[in-house]
Amino acid sequence: MPNEMSPETLATQAQKKQLNKKPSRPKNRPKSYRRSSTQQLGSHYETLAAQYLQQHGLDILLRNIRSRFGEIDLIARSHHSLIFIEVRYRKNQQYGGAIYSIHPTKQQRIKRVAEQLLPHLSAYFFGGVQPFCRFDVIAIDEDGLQWIPNAFY
């Protein structure tokens, strides 16, 4: 058959085709590689908040816990209490600053995530006993860092 190609020709064409393909993105890139500058800035302020809370007697249990409902920045423990902490940074006081950026929709999202995680956290950190829970906020802006315990219910 005159139209059949030799195995060598087929192999050469397959190699050229592979070389012309766009390189695929590796699936397991390091987390820091995928983070935007805004995310890196947020991570910096979460670290500052975690250090501040540790200096004030809280044990930081987990950071950046995600679920299908959203994310909680920090989860801490103080004696027999479980504390869900939202960290907010704003460069200036425009629109009320960091404190006022946690609107009711965001509060509901945090509560939903906490509700979903509570059974697992209770089992792992509190021996299956459901602890007292509260929602705190760390607000960081041009005025400095402000810790607001029981910021919302």
Side-chain angles (χ1 to χ4, degrees), residues 64-83:
N64 299 321
I65 303 303
R66 290 177 175 81
S67 83
R68 64 187 180 125
F69 297 115
E71 178 191 42
I72 295 180
D73 295 327
L74 299 170
I75 299 176
R77 177 183 189 158
S78 176
H79 304 291
H80 300 292
S81 298
L82 185 61
I83 306 163

Side-chain angles (χ1 to χ4, degrees), residues 11 29 36 56-57 72 80 89 94 110 118 147-148:
R29 284 187 178 175
S36 70
H56 287 82
I72 295 180
H80 300 292
Y89 166 75
Q94 188 175 5
I110 292 168
L118 187 57
W147 178 18
I148 305 156

